[in-house]
Amino acid sequence: MNQTSSHLKSRLLIVVALLAMLSSLTSCDDDPYFSPLVGTWEANYTDLGPIHPFDVDYFTFFADGTGTYEYYDDYGYLCQMYFVWRTRNDEWLYITYEDGYSTTCYFRFYRGYLEFSDDITFSAYTGYAPA
């Protein structure tokens, strides 16, 4: 019985080790639940300076990979579009809007702000503050 118990313990240790290895190989890059993007972000500035109040827009990222984009139209009405999103390598953001339009951009966090840019050098960008 003691030998069986020892054999069972070593098998259990192997299973636990394999599970630990498998869990370390999985990546959270494409899992929105773990993303620091989750929340509402309000446009605050660009690389050229502050944003005019009529040009402010908002992104809300939900943990399930959906979100909303809100902006003011030419008449001053707040409009809303739904989208799905995902990230890759904590630098790329993929968004597909409800009308089928898709966009990608780089993102980074800088001094508590979320910045979006079309290029990796962030020579032009828009900064969003937590709303």
Side-chain angles (χ1 to χ4, degrees), residues 59-101:
F59 280 96
T60 300
F61 297 94
F62 300 109
D64 66 357
T66 63
T68 60
Y69 173 66
E70 295 176 295
Y71 63 95
Y72 292 96
D73 68 9
D74 294 337
Y75 303 103
Y77 294 106
L78 187 63
C79 301
Q80 185 178 61
M81 294 175 56
Y82 296 94
F83 61 82
V84 294
W85 65 278
R86 64 187 176 99
T87 61
R88 182 161 187 249
N89 297 331
D90 290 331
E91 66 180 20
W92 270 101
L93 174 64
Y94 299 92
I95 293 179
T96 302
Y97 292 94
E98 61 188 333
D99 63 1
Y101 174 76

Short mmCIF file of all heavy atoms in Angstrom, two decimals, residues 59-101:
data_model
loop_
_atom_site.label_atom_id
_atom_site.label_comp_id
_atom_site.label_asym_id
_atom_site.label_seq_id
_atom_site.Cartn_x
_atom_site.Cartn_y
_atom_site.Cartn_z
N PHE A 59 -13.98 56.72 -25.68
CA PHE A 59 -13.94 55.28 -25.90
C PHE A 59 -14.26 54.61 -24.58
O PHE A 59 -13.69 54.96 -23.54
CB PHE A 59 -12.55 54.82 -26.35
CG PHE A 59 -12.26 55.05 -27.80
CD1 PHE A 59 -11.57 56.18 -28.21
CD2 PHE A 59 -12.67 54.13 -28.75
CE1 PHE A 59 -11.30 56.40 -29.54
CE2 PHE A 59 -12.40 54.34 -30.10
CZ PHE A 59 -11.71 55.47 -30.49
N THR A 60 -15.15 53.62 -24.62
CA THR A 60 -15.41 52.78 -23.46
C THR A 60 -15.11 51.35 -23.86
O THR A 60 -15.70 50.83 -24.83
CB THR A 60 -16.87 52.91 -22.97
OG1 THR A 60 -17.11 54.27 -22.61
CG2 THR A 60 -17.12 52.02 -21.76
N PHE A 61 -14.19 50.72 -23.14
CA PHE A 61 -13.81 49.34 -23.39
C PHE A 61 -14.35 48.48 -22.26
O PHE A 61 -14.07 48.74 -21.09
CB PHE A 61 -12.28 49.21 -23.44
CG PHE A 61 -11.65 49.98 -24.56
CD1 PHE A 61 -11.17 51.26 -24.34
CD2 PHE A 61 -11.53 49.44 -25.83
CE1 PHE A 61 -10.58 51.99 -25.36
CE2 PHE A 61 -10.95 50.15 -26.85
CZ PHE A 61 -10.47 51.43 -26.62
N PHE A 62 -15.14 47.48 -22.63
CA PHE A 62 -15.68 46.54 -21.66
C PHE A 62 -14.83 45.28 -21.62
O PHE A 62 -14.18 44.92 -22.62
CB PHE A 62 -17.14 46.19 -21.99
CG PHE A 62 -18.06 47.38 -22.00
CD1 PHE A 62 -18.58 47.86 -23.19
CD2 PHE A 62 -18.38 48.04 -20.82
CE1 PHE A 62 -19.42 48.96 -23.20
CE2 PHE A 62 -19.22 49.14 -20.82
CZ PHE A 62 -19.74 49.60 -22.02
N ALA A 63 -14.82 44.60 -20.48
CA ALA A 63 -13.98 43.42 -20.28
C ALA A 63 -14.33 42.26 -21.20
O ALA A 63 -13.51 41.38 -21.43
CB ALA A 63 -14.06 42.96 -18.82
N ASP A 64 -15.53 42.26 -21.76
CA ASP A 64 -15.92 41.15 -22.65
C ASP A 64 -15.48 41.35 -24.09
O ASP A 64 -15.83 40.58 -24.97
CB ASP A 64 -17.43 40.91 -22.58
CG ASP A 64 -18.24 42.07 -23.14
OD1 ASP A 64 -17.67 43.11 -23.53
OD2 ASP A 64 -19.48 41.94 -23.17
N GLY A 65 -14.70 42.42 -24.37
CA GLY A 65 -14.21 42.65 -25.72
C GLY A 65 -15.14 43.50 -26.58
O GLY A 65 -14.95 43.59 -27.78
N THR A 66 -16.14 44.12 -25.98
CA THR A 66 -17.02 45.03 -26.71
C THR A 66 -16.75 46.45 -26.19
O THR A 66 -16.01 46.64 -25.22
CB THR A 66 -18.51 44.70 -26.51
OG1 THR A 66 -18.84 44.86 -25.13
CG2 THR A 66 -18.82 43.28 -26.96
N GLY A 67 -17.34 47.42 -26.85
CA GLY A 67 -17.15 48.80 -26.39
C GLY A 67 -18.04 49.77 -27.14
O GLY A 67 -18.81 49.38 -28.02
N THR A 68 -17.91 51.03 -26.77
CA THR A 68 -18.64 52.09 -27.46
C THR A 68 -17.68 53.23 -27.77
O THR A 68 -16.72 53.49 -27.03
CB THR A 68 -19.80 52.65 -26.61
OG1 THR A 68 -19.28 53.17 -25.38
CG2 THR A 68 -20.84 51.59 -26.31
N TYR A 69 -17.96 53.89 -28.87
CA TYR A 69 -17.24 55.10 -29.26
C TYR A 69 -18.29 56.20 -29.33
O TYR A 69 -19.32 56.05 -30.00
CB TYR A 69 -16.56 54.91 -30.61
CG TYR A 69 -15.95 56.18 -31.15
CD1 TYR A 69 -14.87 56.78 -30.51
CD2 TYR A 69 -16.46 56.80 -32.28
CE1 TYR A 69 -14.32 57.96 -30.98
CE2 TYR A 69 -15.91 57.97 -32.77
CZ TYR A 69 -14.84 58.54 -32.11
OH TYR A 69 -14.29 59.71 -32.58
N GLU A 70 -18.05 57.30 -28.62
CA GLU A 70 -18.99 58.41 -28.62
C GLU A 70 -18.29 59.67 -29.11
O GLU A 70 -17.13 59.91 -28.76
CB GLU A 70 -19.54 58.65 -27.21
CG GLU A 70 -20.37 57.48 -26.70
CD GLU A 70 -20.81 57.69 -25.27
OE1 GLU A 70 -19.92 57.73 -24.39
OE2 GLU A 70 -22.03 57.83 -25.05
N TYR A 71 -19.00 60.44 -29.92
CA TYR A 71 -18.45 61.67 -30.48
C TYR A 71 -19.60 62.65 -30.73
O TYR A 71 -20.77 62.25 -30.81
CB TYR A 71 -17.72 61.39 -31.79
CG TYR A 71 -18.63 60.84 -32.86
CD1 TYR A 71 -19.21 61.68 -33.81
CD2 TYR A 71 -18.94 59.48 -32.91
CE1 TYR A 71 -20.07 61.19 -34.78
CE2 TYR A 71 -19.79 58.98 -33.88
CZ TYR A 71 -20.35 59.84 -34.80
OH TYR A 71 -21.22 59.36 -35.76
N TYR A 72 -19.27 63.91 -30.86
CA TYR A 72 -20.27 64.93 -31.16
C TYR A 72 -20.33 65.16 -32.66
O TYR A 72 -19.29 65.35 -33.31
CB TYR A 72 -19.93 66.24 -30.43
CG TYR A 72 -20.08 66.12 -28.93
CD1 TYR A 72 -19.00 65.84 -28.12
CD2 TYR A 72 -21.34 66.26 -28.34
CE1 TYR A 72 -19.15 65.71 -26.75
CE2 TYR A 72 -21.50 66.13 -26.96
CZ TYR A 72 -20.39 65.86 -26.18
OH TYR A 72 -20.54 65.72 -24.83
N ASP A 73 -21.54 65.14 -33.21
CA ASP A 73 -21.69 65.39 -34.64
C ASP A 73 -21.64 66.90 -34.92
O ASP A 73 -21.43 67.71 -34.00
CB ASP A 73 -22.97 64.75 -35.20
CG ASP A 73 -24.26 65.38 -34.70
OD1 ASP A 73 -24.22 66.44 -34.04
OD2 ASP A 73 -25.32 64.79 -34.96
N ASP A 74 -21.82 67.28 -36.18
CA ASP A 74 -21.72 68.69 -36.57
C ASP A 74 -22.78 69.57 -35.93
O ASP A 74 -22.65 70.80 -35.92
CB ASP A 74 -21.81 68.82 -38.09
CG ASP A 74 -20.62 68.18 -38.78
OD1 ASP A 74 -19.55 68.06 -38.12
OD2 ASP A 74 -20.74 67.80 -39.96
N TYR A 75 -23.83 68.98 -35.40
CA TYR A 75 -24.92 69.74 -34.78
C TYR A 75 -24.82 69.76 -33.25
O TYR A 75 -25.70 70.28 -32.57
CB TYR A 75 -26.28 69.18 -35.21
CG TYR A 75 -26.44 69.17 -36.71
CD1 TYR A 75 -26.30 68.00 -37.43
CD2 TYR A 75 -26.72 70.35 -37.40
CE1 TYR A 75 -26.43 67.99 -38.82
CE2 TYR A 75 -26.84 70.35 -38.79
CZ TYR A 75 -26.69 69.17 -39.48
OH TYR A 75 -26.81 69.17 -40.84
N GLY A 76 -23.78 69.14 -32.71
CA GLY A 76 -23.57 69.13 -31.27
C GLY A 76 -24.24 67.99 -30.54
O GLY A 76 -24.27 67.97 -29.31
N TYR A 77 -24.78 67.02 -31.29
CA TYR A 77 -25.42 65.86 -30.66
C TYR A 77 -24.38 64.77 -30.41
O TYR A 77 -23.52 64.51 -31.25
CB TYR A 77 -26.53 65.29 -31.55
CG TYR A 77 -27.69 66.22 -31.72
CD1 TYR A 77 -27.89 66.90 -32.91
CD2 TYR A 77 -28.59 66.44 -30.67
CE1 TYR A 77 -28.96 67.78 -33.07
CE2 TYR A 77 -29.66 67.30 -30.82
CZ TYR A 77 -29.84 67.97 -32.02
OH TYR A 77 -30.88 68.83 -32.16
N LEU A 78 -24.50 64.14 -29.26
CA LEU A 78 -23.59 63.05 -28.92
C LEU A 78 -24.07 61.77 -29.63
O LEU A 78 -25.20 61.34 -29.43
CB LEU A 78 -23.55 62.83 -27.40
CG LEU A 78 -22.51 61.84 -26.89
CD1 LEU A 78 -21.09 62.32 -27.21
CD2 LEU A 78 -22.67 61.64 -25.39
N CYS A 79 -23.22 61.21 -30.45
CA CYS A 79 -23.54 59.99 -31.20
C CYS A 79 -22.74 58.83 -30.62
O CYS A 79 -21.66 59.03 -30.07
CB CYS A 79 -23.18 60.16 -32.67
SG CYS A 79 -24.03 61.53 -33.46
N GLN A 80 -23.26 57.63 -30.78
CA GLN A 80 -22.62 56.45 -30.20
C GLN A 80 -22.55 55.33 -31.23
O GLN A 80 -23.50 55.07 -31.95
CB GLN A 80 -23.40 55.98 -28.98
CG GLN A 80 -22.75 54.84 -28.24
CD GLN A 80 -23.56 54.45 -27.01
OE1 GLN A 80 -24.70 54.06 -27.13
NE2 GLN A 80 -22.94 54.57 -25.84
N MET A 81 -21.38 54.69 -31.29
CA MET A 81 -21.18 53.52 -32.14
C MET A 81 -20.66 52.37 -31.28
O MET A 81 -19.83 52.59 -30.39
CB MET A 81 -20.16 53.83 -33.24
CG MET A 81 -20.62 54.85 -34.24
SD MET A 81 -19.33 55.28 -35.44
CE MET A 81 -18.92 53.70 -36.13
N TYR A 82 -21.13 51.18 -31.56
CA TYR A 82 -20.66 49.99 -30.84
C TYR A 82 -19.53 49.35 -31.62
O TYR A 82 -19.46 49.45 -32.85
CB TYR A 82 -21.81 49.00 -30.64
CG TYR A 82 -22.90 49.55 -29.77
CD1 TYR A 82 -24.01 50.18 -30.32
CD2 TYR A 82 -22.81 49.47 -28.39
CE1 TYR A 82 -25.01 50.72 -29.52
CE2 TYR A 82 -23.80 50.00 -27.58
CZ TYR A 82 -24.89 50.62 -28.16
OH TYR A 82 -25.86 51.15 -27.35
N PHE A 83 -18.64 48.67 -30.90
CA PHE A 83 -17.54 47.97 -31.56
C PHE A 83 -17.10 46.76 -30.75
O PHE A 83 -17.50 46.60 -29.59
CB PHE A 83 -16.34 48.91 -31.80
CG PHE A 83 -15.73 49.50 -30.55
CD1 PHE A 83 -14.82 48.79 -29.78
CD2 PHE A 83 -16.05 50.79 -30.16
CE1 PHE A 83 -14.24 49.34 -28.65
CE2 PHE A 83 -15.47 51.36 -29.03
CZ PHE A 83 -14.56 50.62 -28.27
N VAL A 84 -16.31 45.92 -31.38
CA VAL A 84 -15.61 44.83 -30.69
C VAL A 84 -14.12 45.15 -30.81
O VAL A 84 -13.68 45.79 -31.75
CB VAL A 84 -15.94 43.43 -31.27
CG1 VAL A 84 -17.40 43.09 -31.01
CG2 VAL A 84 -15.61 43.34 -32.73
N TRP A 85 -13.35 44.70 -29.82
CA TRP A 85 -11.94 45.03 -29.80
C TRP A 85 -11.11 43.90 -29.24
O TRP A 85 -11.60 43.01 -28.57
CB TRP A 85 -11.70 46.29 -28.97
CG TRP A 85 -12.04 46.14 -27.51
CD1 TRP A 85 -13.28 46.24 -26.94
CD2 TRP A 85 -11.15 45.82 -26.45
NE1 TRP A 85 -13.20 46.02 -25.59
CE2 TRP A 85 -11.90 45.77 -25.25
CE3 TRP A 85 -9.77 45.60 -26.38
CZ2 TRP A 85 -11.32 45.49 -24.02
CZ3 TRP A 85 -9.20 45.32 -25.14
CH2 TRP A 85 -9.99 45.28 -23.98
N ARG A 86 -9.82 43.96 -29.56
CA ARG A 86 -8.85 43.05 -28.97
C ARG A 86 -7.48 43.71 -29.09
O ARG A 86 -7.29 44.64 -29.88
CB ARG A 86 -8.87 41.68 -29.61
CG ARG A 86 -8.47 41.65 -31.06
CD ARG A 86 -8.70 40.25 -31.65
NE ARG A 86 -8.40 40.26 -33.06
CZ ARG A 86 -7.25 39.85 -33.58
NH1 ARG A 86 -6.29 39.39 -32.81
NH2 ARG A 86 -7.06 39.88 -34.87
N THR A 87 -6.56 43.24 -28.29
CA THR A 87 -5.21 43.78 -28.32
C THR A 87 -4.24 42.68 -28.69
O THR A 87 -4.56 41.49 -28.65
CB THR A 87 -4.79 44.36 -26.95
OG1 THR A 87 -4.82 43.31 -25.99
CG2 THR A 87 -5.71 45.48 -26.54
N ARG A 88 -3.05 43.12 -29.03
CA ARG A 88 -1.99 42.16 -29.32
C ARG A 88 -0.68 42.72 -28.79
O ARG A 88 -0.32 43.86 -29.09
CB ARG A 88 -1.87 41.92 -30.83
CG ARG A 88 -0.82 40.89 -31.16
CD ARG A 88 -1.03 40.34 -32.55
NE ARG A 88 -0.11 39.26 -32.76
CZ ARG A 88 0.91 39.32 -33.60
NH1 ARG A 88 1.10 40.40 -34.32
NH2 ARG A 88 1.72 38.30 -33.74
N ASN A 89 0.00 41.93 -28.00
CA ASN A 89 1.32 42.28 -27.45
C ASN A 89 1.33 43.60 -26.69
O ASN A 89 2.36 44.27 -26.64
CB ASN A 89 2.36 42.32 -28.56
CG ASN A 89 2.55 40.98 -29.22
OD1 ASN A 89 2.35 39.94 -28.60
ND2 ASN A 89 2.92 40.99 -30.48
N ASP A 90 0.21 43.99 -26.13
CA ASP A 90 0.12 45.23 -25.36
C ASP A 90 0.65 46.45 -26.11
O ASP A 90 1.18 47.38 -25.52
CB ASP A 90 0.86 45.11 -24.01
CG ASP A 90 0.14 44.17 -23.07
OD1 ASP A 90 -1.10 44.07 -23.18
OD2 ASP A 90 0.80 43.57 -22.23
N GLU A 91 0.49 46.42 -27.44
CA GLU A 91 0.86 47.60 -28.22
C GLU A 91 -0.08 47.87 -29.39
O GLU A 91 -0.19 48.99 -29.83
CB GLU A 91 2.30 47.50 -28.72
CG GLU A 91 2.53 46.41 -29.72
CD GLU A 91 3.98 46.33 -30.20
OE1 GLU A 91 4.87 46.85 -29.51
OE2 GLU A 91 4.20 45.75 -31.27
N TRP A 92 -0.74 46.85 -29.89
CA TRP A 92 -1.67 47.00 -31.01
C TRP A 92 -3.10 46.88 -30.51
O TRP A 92 -3.42 46.01 -29.72
CB TRP A 92 -1.46 45.89 -32.05
CG TRP A 92 -0.48 46.21 -33.10
CD1 TRP A 92 0.81 45.77 -33.16
CD2 TRP A 92 -0.68 47.01 -34.26
NE1 TRP A 92 1.41 46.26 -34.27
CE2 TRP A 92 0.53 47.02 -34.97
CE3 TRP A 92 -1.75 47.73 -34.74
CZ2 TRP A 92 0.68 47.72 -36.16
CZ3 TRP A 92 -1.60 48.43 -35.92
CH2 TRP A 92 -0.40 48.42 -36.62
N LEU A 93 -3.97 47.74 -31.04
CA LEU A 93 -5.39 47.68 -30.74
C LEU A 93 -6.14 47.47 -32.04
O LEU A 93 -5.92 48.21 -33.01
CB LEU A 93 -5.85 48.98 -30.07
CG LEU A 93 -7.35 49.14 -29.83
CD1 LEU A 93 -7.85 48.10 -28.83
CD2 LEU A 93 -7.64 50.54 -29.33
N TYR A 94 -7.00 46.47 -32.08
CA TYR A 94 -7.85 46.18 -33.24
C TYR A 94 -9.29 46.49 -32.86
O TYR A 94 -9.80 45.96 -31.88
CB TYR A 94 -7.77 44.70 -33.63
CG TYR A 94 -6.39 44.24 -34.02
CD1 TYR A 94 -5.53 43.69 -33.08
CD2 TYR A 94 -5.97 44.32 -35.34
CE1 TYR A 94 -4.27 43.24 -33.43
CE2 TYR A 94 -4.71 43.88 -35.70
CZ TYR A 94 -3.86 43.34 -34.75
OH TYR A 94 -2.62 42.91 -35.10
N ILE A 95 -9.95 47.33 -33.64
CA ILE A 95 -11.35 47.68 -33.39
C ILE A 95 -12.15 47.43 -34.67
O ILE A 95 -11.74 47.84 -35.75
CB ILE A 95 -11.50 49.17 -32.98
CG1 ILE A 95 -10.86 49.41 -31.63
CG2 ILE A 95 -12.97 49.58 -32.96
CD1 ILE A 95 -10.93 50.86 -31.16
N THR A 96 -13.30 46.77 -34.51
CA THR A 96 -14.23 46.60 -35.62
C THR A 96 -15.57 47.19 -35.16
O THR A 96 -16.16 46.72 -34.19
CB THR A 96 -14.42 45.12 -35.99
OG1 THR A 96 -13.15 44.57 -36.33
CG2 THR A 96 -15.37 44.98 -37.18
N TYR A 97 -16.01 48.24 -35.87
CA TYR A 97 -17.25 48.93 -35.53
C TYR A 97 -18.45 48.17 -36.06
O TYR A 97 -18.33 47.31 -36.93
CB TYR A 97 -17.23 50.36 -36.09
CG TYR A 97 -16.21 51.23 -35.41
CD1 TYR A 97 -14.93 51.37 -35.94
CD2 TYR A 97 -16.49 51.87 -34.21
CE1 TYR A 97 -13.98 52.17 -35.32
CE2 TYR A 97 -15.55 52.66 -33.58
CZ TYR A 97 -14.29 52.80 -34.13
OH TYR A 97 -13.35 53.57 -33.50
N GLU A 98 -19.63 48.53 -35.54
CA GLU A 98 -20.86 47.82 -35.90
C GLU A 98 -21.18 47.89 -37.38
O GLU A 98 -21.85 47.02 -37.92
CB GLU A 98 -22.04 48.35 -35.08
CG GLU A 98 -22.33 49.82 -35.30
CD GLU A 98 -23.37 50.37 -34.34
OE1 GLU A 98 -24.21 49.60 -33.86
OE2 GLU A 98 -23.33 51.57 -34.08
N ASP A 99 -20.68 48.93 -38.08
CA ASP A 99 -20.95 49.05 -39.52
C ASP A 99 -19.95 48.24 -40.35
O ASP A 99 -19.99 48.26 -41.58
CB ASP A 99 -20.95 50.51 -39.96
CG ASP A 99 -19.61 51.20 -39.77
OD1 ASP A 99 -18.65 50.56 -39.31
OD2 ASP A 99 -19.53 52.41 -40.08
N GLY A 100 -19.02 47.53 -39.68
CA GLY A 100 -18.06 46.70 -40.39
C GLY A 100 -16.70 47.36 -40.59
O GLY A 100 -15.73 46.69 -40.95
N TYR A 101 -16.60 48.66 -40.36
CA TYR A 101 -15.33 49.36 -40.52
C TYR A 101 -14.36 48.88 -39.44
O TYR A 101 -14.72 48.77 -38.27
CB TYR A 101 -15.54 50.87 -40.41
CG TYR A 101 -14.25 51.66 -40.43
CD1 TYR A 101 -13.56 51.87 -41.63
CD2 TYR A 101 -13.71 52.17 -39.26
CE1 TYR A 101 -12.38 52.59 -41.65
CE2 TYR A 101 -12.52 52.89 -39.27
CZ TYR A 101 -11.86 53.09 -40.47
OH TYR A 101 -10.69 53.79 -40.48
#
